[in-house]
Amino acid sequence: MQKPRTCLVTQAMDILGKKWAITILLQLLSGPKRFCHLEGDTEVSGRLLSERLKELEAAGMVTRTIYPEVPPRVEYQLTEKGKDVGPIISDIYAWASKWMNDGLKQ
Amino acid sequence: MQKPRTCLVTQAMDILGKKWAITILLQLLSGPKRFCHLEGDTEVSGRLLSERLKELEAAGMVTRTIYPEVPPRVEYQLTEKGKDVGPIISDIYAWASKWMNDGLKQ
């Protein structure tokens, strides 16, 4: 039988480990963003960005709000579950700064 | 030009985000392990486990020690860079416990 501890971490990585998921969550930590801004702020292609946002929405980490303007404005923002990834991202940044900065400390 | 902050986090996820990488690192946090024990403790196939261990070794996060016994014993263990992923894994576990436990809090 699987040790529950690994199973939870592995389950979490099924979402967080997807290419660009953490990068998108990092962008949204600074507040709601429109699709075009997310696309501009990351290296993610429009198709993949749309796919990841749908997955993050399905995982309850992002909400999508459509404002009835002309043309309609669509904004993405983090839920509490999404915001709670903040400490993980800060730790990843701290680790990467220590060990990956400009390839000095490979 | 990329914003350096995202770039570092994205770079780190190129290693940490790979399927099973975090799960393998979690297993090694409790000390050196032989291949067969890693294989037994995770759901990873032998081929993929071998591939991930090579990548983690190339990234300077794992070392591989061959003991000249008959048959030879091979052990994997974390480097300081690998051990430093500990806080990230603890945060992932805390997040997953809060938001993914038995699907109660989806």
Side-chain angles (χ1 to χ4, degrees):
Chain A
M1 215 213 61
Q2 248 156 334
K3 282 192 296 175
R5 185 183 162 88
T6 317
C7 169
L8 264 182
V9 169
T10 304
Q11 269 185 58
M13 288 311 290
D14 283 345
I15 302 172
L16 302 179
K18 288 227 171 149
K19 181 83 175 159
W20 304 111
I22 288 280
T23 307
I24 294 164
L25 292 169
L26 170 60
Q27 293 302 317
L28 290 171
L29 277 174
S30 51
K33 292 248 172 22
R34 294 172 63 172
F35 189 91
C36 53
H37 295 140
L38 282 171
E39 207 176 5
D41 288 350
T42 61
E43 303 155 57
V44 199
S45 71
R47 188 191 56 74
L48 191 52
L49 176 58
S50 173
E51 189 183 314
R52 282 294 172 271
L53 286 168
K54 277 194 190 105
E55 287 161 1
L56 290 170
E57 222 180 321
M61 298 173 73
V62 164
T63 55
R64 186 167 170 272
T65 310
I66 303 169
Y67 295 91
E69 298 164 5
V70 181
R73 182 161 52 99
V74 179
E75 269 190 3
Y76 294 88
Q77 67 183 87
L78 295 178
T79 62
E80 286 310 306
K81 182 177 179 180
K83 285 176 193 158
D84 260 9
V85 176
I88 297 171
I89 294 177
S90 304
D91 274 344
I92 291 170
Y93 179 65
W95 179 81
S97 303
K98 179 175 176 184
W99 294 103
M100 304 182 73
N101 222 337
D102 310 326
L104 293 181
K105 283 179 198 147
Q106 267 308 337
Chain B
M1 213 208 68
Q2 249 156 337
K3 280 194 300 175
R5 183 182 160 87
T6 316
C7 167
L8 264 181
V9 169
T10 305
Q11 267 185 62
M13 288 311 291
D14 283 345
I15 301 171
L16 303 179
K18 288 232 170 140
K19 180 84 174 158
W20 302 111
I22 288 280
T23 307
I24 294 165
L25 293 169
L26 171 60
Q27 294 303 317
L28 290 172
L29 277 173
S30 50
K33 291 249 173 20
R34 294 172 63 173
F35 188 91
C36 53
H37 295 141
L38 283 172
E39 207 176 6
D41 288 351
T42 61
E43 303 153 61
V44 199
S45 72
R47 188 190 56 76
L48 190 53
L49 177 58
S50 173
E51 189 182 313
R52 281 295 172 271
L53 285 167
K54 278 194 189 106
E55 288 162 359
L56 290 170
E57 223 180 319
M61 298 174 73
V62 164
T63 54
R64 184 166 170 274
T65 309
I66 303 169
Y67 295 91
E69 298 165 6
V70 180
R73 181 160 53 99
V74 179
E75 269 190 2
Y76 295 88
Q77 67 183 89
L78 295 179
T79 62
E80 286 311 305
K81 182 177 178 180
K83 284 176 195 160
D84 259 9
V85 176
I88 297 171
I89 294 176
S90 305
D91 274 344
I92 292 170
Y93 180 66
W95 180 82
S97 303
K98 180 176 176 184
W99 295 103
M100 302 183 73
N101 222 337
D102 306 328
L104 293 180
K105 285 180 196 147
Q106 268 305 345

